[in-house]
């Protein structure tokens, strides 16, 4: 339950900066010459010619959207990306310093060596396909179903995406303990709809996908004929895997992924897959009990192990190895991967400069070695103290909000308050860092370095099985410009990277900070009480703590939000109109609406009479709250990317995060003097919290 989804070729990246160090930009092919420091509340970002009561997004963001056309190396660019981009310059200067000879700490040496190996394009290009050849040879040697499963296990342990996912995580019914989770996986395209939908766009995507497979496999030394045959086989097999997979909306309900069973029961369910052997090979030999998120998937996969010839499985595994490694290999692989993934699917015109990709990959693979260096350079000490005060204020508002709900019974209110009281918060960075001493980083072996880091993470993950959950761990690295709520741990988490403008600044008036980081805090807190989070109790266990009438009443109110956002059109072009999926985005939209309300309440209770203070820039404090909020979400998006996101992203696009939220807010209507009949004053406003 994150604030936003960051999907890029190079996983997550980003970071905050104080602005003192701007690395010299000699980047080869960097689209922007230099990232500029983001600011909170920007009057020039507004379009003052538009009417706030007709289109508040245009009013708050029209100027920004015009002055920030989509950079060539982005498929989507908004305020979050502005911060991320700006801060990548800081990470870059850290990594370049660390990669030069000199006196360095072990962490600095490690991240410096990783970054340098990634930047050594010449060495990477010279190797061509060599780094994955041992894997391709392993595939070639397979002659039995048992060898097939053995290789799937080895791939899993090395971080190569196999046919299903296996990892550790909290037990849904005893959140203090880690158990094993077995789940569906195995698709290359981002959603089962890409394989199964029969509309013109998806059929076009599949055609392009087959061509892409052919080209990448040809680069991996297959003959054109073999690559052509393989491409058809791979699409057909992935389509069968897609048919066996559960859709995203169903997966949002924890009851659909809650199936604890013994290994013996799993064996009965999927008799053709030797799971005890698999578990031994991935380092989970003592496994007895596990959660199988999607039993039907494994039933069908087991049948596919019989019905599909070994040769088809070998084509598929070869493809999974080549495709997942392509961004790490020589230029022809990187370019072909980008042509399909970045340019065709997302509408990104140019590949990001190498230093940007390498910075992001270092953060993704050695995040907690880079983290302490970043924190020392960029995390203002005051931020933690200030955040504690803000979080306490927003939590107090949630308490008041719960009490004021007319539709909730006193018993359920009591349980909700208990849950609220147990929410803990983590700010900035972990109390203890991961120990990377065993991760060996070598010069001239970039792919090997990535594998070393992923093998380390896999072993670390397996070691958690059967052990108590460590709530001090983080799911995001410190430089990340994002935040999250963890339903099993019942905590809210704010990495250092987000604690800066436009979210948070010591230089602006408080209403703007409440509209920025205040709404972010309220958003994460509300996740504990959205359609998904409400199903977990104060201890993070999946259980129903709602009174008999309160649950249905919640669902009725949530349905209003789902319908509202389903009516929004995300893309309209010659391939047709794409609506948002109100059910997929329900949790995030509920959190946005709750977050805005709670932050507004907190601002009022903290500000007292100051809300009647003089205008700044011509705006009252409450108007500045709403404009500050909206300006966090200014963005430009390529239509291709918008289409992808509408399918896979549980978050609404920036425009609807603003419009969908303010039009439910009576405080907004009052602040801008909007009237019934205005576009921002719908006949029926939705209120969950
Ligand atoms: Zn969220």
């Amino acid at each position: 339950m994150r604030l936003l989804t960051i999907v890029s070729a190079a996983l997550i990246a980003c970071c905050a900066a104080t602005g003192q160090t701007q690395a010299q930009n000699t980047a080869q092919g960097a689209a922007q010459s230099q990232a500029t420091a983001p600011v909170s509340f920007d009057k020039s970002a507004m379009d003052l010619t538009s009417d706030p009561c007709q289109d508040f997004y245009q009013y708050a963001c029209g100027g920004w959207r015009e002055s920030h056309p989509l950079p060539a190396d982005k498929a989507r660019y908004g305020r979050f990306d502005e911060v991320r981009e700006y801060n990548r310059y800081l990470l870059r200067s850290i990594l370049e310093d660390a990669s030069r000879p000199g006196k360095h700490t072990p962490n600095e040496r490690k991240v410096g060596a990783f970054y340098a190996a990634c930047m050594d394009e010449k060495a990477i290009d010279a190797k061509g396909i060599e780094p994955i050849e041992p894997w391709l040879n392993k595939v070639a040697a397979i002659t039995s179903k048992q060898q097939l499963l053995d290789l799937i296990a080895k791939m899993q342990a090395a971080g190569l995406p196999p046919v299903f996912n296996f990892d550790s995580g909290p037990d849904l019914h005893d959140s203090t303990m880690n158990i094993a989770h077995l789940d569906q996986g195995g698709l290359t395209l981002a959603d089962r709809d890409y394989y199964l939908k029969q509309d013109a766009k998806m059929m076009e995507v599949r055609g392009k996908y087959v061509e892409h497979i052919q080209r990448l496999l040809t680069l991996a030394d297959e003959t054109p004929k073999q690559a052509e045959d393989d491409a058809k086989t791979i699409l057909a097999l992935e389509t069968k895997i897609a048919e066996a997979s559960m859709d995203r909306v169903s997966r949002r309900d924890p009851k659909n992924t809650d199936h604890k069973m013994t290994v013996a029961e799993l064996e009965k369910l999927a008799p053709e897959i030797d799971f005890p052997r698999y578990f031994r090979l991935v380092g989970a030999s003592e496994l007895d009990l596990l959660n199988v998120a999607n039993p039907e998937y494994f039933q069908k996969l087991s049948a596919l192990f019989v019905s599909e010839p070994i040769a088809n499985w070998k084509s598929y595994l070869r493809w999974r190895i080549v495709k997942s490694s392509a961004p790490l290999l020589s230029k022809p692989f990187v370019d072909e991967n980008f042509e399909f993934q970045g340019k065709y699917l997302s509408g990104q015109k140019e590949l990001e400069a190498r230093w940007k990709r390498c910075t992001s990959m270092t953060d993704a693979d050695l995040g907690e070695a880079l983290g302490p260096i970043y924190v020392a350079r960029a995390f203002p000490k005051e931020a933690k103290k200030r955040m504690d005060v803000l979080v306490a204020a927003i939590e107090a508002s949630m308490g008041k909000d719960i009490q004021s709900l007319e539709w909730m019974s006193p018993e359920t209110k009591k349980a909700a308050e208990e849950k609220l009281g147990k929410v803990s918060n983590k700010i900035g960075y972990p109390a203890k860092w991961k120990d990377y001493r065993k991760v060996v980083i070598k010069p001239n072996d970039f792919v090997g370095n990535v594998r070393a880091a992923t093998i380390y993470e896999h072993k670390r993950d397996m070691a958690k099985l059967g052990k108590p959950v460590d709530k001090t761990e983080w799911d995001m690295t410190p430089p990340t410009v994002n935040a999250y709520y963890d339903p099993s741990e019942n905590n809210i988490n704010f990495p250092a990277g987000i604690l800066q403008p436009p979210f948070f600044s010591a230089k602006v008036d408080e209403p703007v900070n409440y509209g920025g980081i205040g709404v972010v805090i309220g958003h994460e807190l509300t996740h504990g009480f959205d359609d998904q989070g409400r199903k977990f109790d104060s201890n993070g266990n999946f259980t129903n703590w709602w009174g008999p009438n309160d649950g249905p009443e919640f669902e009725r109110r949530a349905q209003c939000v789902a319908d509202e956002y389903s009516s929004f059109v995300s893309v309209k072009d010659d391939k047709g109109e794409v609506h948002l999926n109100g059910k997929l985005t329900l949790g995030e939209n509920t959190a946005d609406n709750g977050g805005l309300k709670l932050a507004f309440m907190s601002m009022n209770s903290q500000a007292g009479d100051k809300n009647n203070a003089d205008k700044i820039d011509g705006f009252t404090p409450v108007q500045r709250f709403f404009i500050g909020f909206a300006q966090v979400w200014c963005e430009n998006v390529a239509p291709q990317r918008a289409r992808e996101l509408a399918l896979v992203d549980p978050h609404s696009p920036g425009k609807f995060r603003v419009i969908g939220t303010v039009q439910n807010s009576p405080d907004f209507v009052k602040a801008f003097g909007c009237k019934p009949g205005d576009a921002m004053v719908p006949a029926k406003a939705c209120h969950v919290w």
Side-chain angles (χ1 to χ4, degrees):
M1 299 188 186
R2 301 171 160 218
L3 188 64
L4 82 168
T5 307
I6 304 167
V7 195
S8 73
L11 305 175
I12 329 170
C14 53
C15 13
T18 50
Q20 79 278 31
T21 318
Q22 281 284 348
Q24 281 185 331
N25 180 42
T26 53
Q28 62 288 49
Q32 299 113 302
S33 60
Q34 193 111 328
T36 46
V39 288
S40 295
F41 199 99
D42 182 0
K43 196 171 177 181
S44 72
M46 300 175 70
D47 171 9
L48 294 168
T49 66
S50 70
D51 181 348
C53 297
Q54 293 304 325
D55 183 348
F56 190 62
Y57 183 63
Q58 176 63 23
Y59 180 73
C61 289
W64 189 95
R65 296 189 66 223
E66 205 170 304
S67 61
H68 294 75
L70 203 53
D73 68 345
K74 299 283 179 294
R76 171 190 194 166
Y77 191 72
R79 301 303 304 283
F80 278 80
D81 305 281
E82 202 179 11
V83 184
R84 234 174 258 136
E85 203 66 357
Y86 173 66
N87 293 319
R88 271 209 283 204
Y89 281 89
L90 173 66
L91 283 190
R92 182 198 193 187
S93 87
I94 289 174
L95 291 168
E96 288 190 346
D97 280 353
S99 63
R100 277 189 285 267
K103 255 182 97 179
H104 296 303
T105 64
N107 268 344
E108 285 168 348
R109 275 200 300 278
K110 196 144 282 184
V111 296
F114 186 95
Y115 179 76
C118 179
M119 288 300 289
D120 192 351
E121 212 168 359
K122 226 173 124 191
I124 292 167
D125 285 349
K127 285 194 179 181
I129 196 177
E130 192 194 305
I132 58 168
E133 258 171 354
W135 286 101
L136 297 177
N137 292 340
K138 284 187 183 104
V139 176
I142 292 175
T143 56
S144 69
K145 290 273 157 77
Q146 184 177 306
Q147 288 171 336
L148 178 73
L149 184 71
D150 288 1
L151 187 58
I152 290 172
K154 279 182 196 146
M155 285 172 65
Q156 166 80 46
L160 287 162
V163 187
F164 48 82
N165 295 320
F166 180 69
D167 57 13
S168 77
D171 184 337
L172 281 167
H173 299 281
D174 177 7
S175 67
T176 62
M177 293 303 289
N178 279 310
I179 63 164
H181 293 265
L182 189 64
D183 202 349
Q184 67 186 42
L187 296 181
T188 304
L189 297 172
D191 191 271
R192 70 198 288 277
D193 276 8
Y194 281 107
Y195 299 90
L196 305 178
K197 262 195 163 175
Q198 293 306 323
D199 63 38
K201 179 67 193 174
M202 291 308 189
M203 280 156 75
E204 179 198 290
V205 170
R206 291 195 284 275
K208 299 273 187 195
Y209 179 47
V210 165
E211 291 167 19
H212 170 60
I213 300 174
Q214 267 174 257
R215 282 193 298 267
L216 261 188
L217 289 182
T218 310
L219 284 173
D221 291 345
E222 289 197 7
T223 64
K225 173 77 177 92
Q226 191 194 354
E228 193 187 330
D229 292 346
D230 275 355
K232 284 185 204 135
T233 303
I234 289 157
L235 178 66
L237 181 49
E238 288 193 352
T239 303
K240 288 173 195 166
I241 295 171
E243 281 163 357
S245 304
M246 195 190 294
D247 68 87
R248 281 172 197 274
V249 170
S250 303
R251 289 178 63 81
R252 284 186 44 72
D253 189 339
K255 90 170 171 341
N256 293 333
T257 54
D258 174 29
H259 308 281
K260 208 196 276 185
M261 60 180 78
T262 61
V263 173
E265 283 167 326
L266 172 64
E267 282 188 88
K268 261 188 222 136
L269 185 78
E272 299 301 328
I273 306 175
D274 187 350
F275 272 110
R277 183 180 173 88
Y278 171 85
F279 293 139
R280 269 199 311 280
L281 288 171
V282 294
S285 45
E286 277 158 46
L287 200 62
D288 173 35
L289 206 61
L290 77 163
N291 184 52
V292 180
N294 186 359
E296 209 186 309
Y297 180 81
F298 291 94
Q299 225 164 12
K300 290 182 177 164
L301 190 66
S302 175
L304 281 177
F305 263 55
V306 182
S307 62
E308 288 291 314
I310 288 185
N312 291 5
W313 281 110
K314 286 170 74 171
S315 302
Y316 169 78
L317 288 190
R318 207 154 49 230
W319 168 240
R320 297 286 281 170
I321 291 162
V322 173
K323 173 69 178 171
S324 63
S325 307
L328 314 176
L329 296 174
S330 60
K331 193 167 186 301
F333 287 92
V334 172
D335 286 348
E336 173 53 35
N337 193 57
F338 173 73
E339 282 297 315
F340 177 72
Q341 213 72 36
K343 205 180 258 183
Y344 169 66
L345 280 180
S346 300
Q348 185 177 328
K349 291 195 173 72
E350 284 174 13
L351 185 64
E352 281 192 325
R354 184 146 197 107
W355 73 264
K356 291 188 183 183
R357 286 176 279 140
C358 289
T359 302
S360 295
M361 286 194 262
T362 313
D363 182 47
D365 284 341
L366 297 174
E368 291 197 17
L370 182 56
I373 312 168
Y374 165 79
V375 164
R377 287 272 287 269
F379 188 53
K381 289 189 183 69
E382 298 314 310
K384 163 97 175 77
K385 269 191 211 155
R386 189 78 192 90
M387 276 297 280
D388 285 338
V389 173
L390 281 165
V391 169
I394 306 272
E395 284 176 354
S397 295
M398 180 120 212
K400 277 188 213 149
D401 183 48
I402 291 168
Q403 276 314 313
S404 74
L405 296 176
E406 285 165 10
W407 56 271
M408 192 181 264
S409 67
E411 296 75 33
T412 302
K413 280 184 181 176
K414 227 178 130 199
E417 282 191 321
E418 189 194 323
K419 177 165 183 177
L420 175 65
K422 284 199 187 172
V423 172
S424 59
N425 64 76
K426 300 204 317 250
I427 292 158
Y429 54 93
K432 55 178 191 278
W433 301 97
K434 285 180 193 171
D435 178 355
Y436 291 99
R437 266 176 298 183
K438 286 189 179 151
V439 182
V440 179
I441 302 299
K442 297 178 190 158
N444 302 326
D445 189 12
F446 174 53
V447 177
N449 295 341
V450 172
R451 294 274 172 267
T454 47
I455 288 167
Y456 163 77
E457 290 295 346
H458 172 78
K459 282 188 180 155
R460 210 173 161 274
D461 189 52
M462 290 297 105
K464 291 179 193 172
L465 292 175
K467 305 264 164 54
V469 171
D470 180 356
K471 291 189 181 186
T472 68
E473 289 197 350
W474 284 67
D475 290 346
M476 289 178 184
T477 64
T480 306
V481 187
N482 209 337
Y484 68 97
Y485 170 77
D486 187 320
S488 290
E489 297 183 358
N490 195 24
N491 58 20
I492 49 180
N493 301 266
F494 306 94
I498 198 170
L499 304 176
Q500 59 170 327
F503 305 96
F504 182 60
S505 166
K507 291 186 192 141
V508 295
D509 43 313
E510 282 302 76
V512 176
N513 277 335
Y514 274 101
I517 198 72
V519 176
V520 170
I521 298 167
H523 172 105
E524 299 310 338
L525 199 57
T526 307
H527 268 316
F529 303 88
D530 71 14
D531 63 311
Q532 203 172 40
R534 79 174 189 89
K535 293 175 178 166
F536 294 82
D537 68 12
S538 62
N539 294 316
N541 291 321
F542 172 40
T543 176
N544 185 11
W545 50 270
W546 291 64
N549 299 322
D550 300 317
E553 186 57 31
F554 177 97
E555 298 297 334
R556 200 179 64 76
R557 288 166 172 271
Q559 188 60 48
C560 178
V561 177
D563 293 342
E564 177 195 358
Y565 285 79
S566 285
S567 76
F568 294 141
V569 175
S570 182
V571 198
K572 200 175 168 179
D573 59 17
D574 58 339
K575 291 272 171 357
E577 207 175 66
V578 181
H579 281 251
L580 292 187
N581 181 343
K583 287 274 185 209
L584 175 65
T585 55
L586 181 55
E588 297 300 335
N589 297 331
T590 304
D592 278 347
N593 280 272
L596 187 76
K597 182 179 177 187
L598 297 179
F600 190 86
M601 286 171 72
S602 304
M603 177 188 70
N604 267 346
S605 67
Q606 301 287 307
D609 286 344
K610 284 190 220 138
N611 274 345
N612 299 318
D614 288 344
K615 291 180 176 181
I616 304 177
D617 294 332
F619 301 101
T620 65
V622 289
Q623 287 174 334
R624 289 175 65 81
F625 168 86
F626 286 106
I627 296 166
F629 157 70
Q631 288 192 339
V632 162
W633 297 112
C634 305
E635 67 181 15
N636 282 306
V637 192
Q640 295 94 323
R641 187 82 184 116
R643 195 177 276 276
E644 275 184 310
L645 291 171
L647 197 61
V648 303
D649 193 349
H651 306 88
S652 298
K655 175 179 177 181
F656 301 112
R657 293 188 83 152
V658 172
I659 284 179
T661 306
V662 297
Q663 70 178 16
N664 288 328
S665 166
D667 302 315
F668 167 79
V669 170
K670 216 172 119 192
F672 287 90
C674 303
K675 305 267 180 318
D678 288 342
M680 297 291 100
V681 188
K684 187 175 93 174
C686 303
H687 299 287
V688 178
W689 295 102

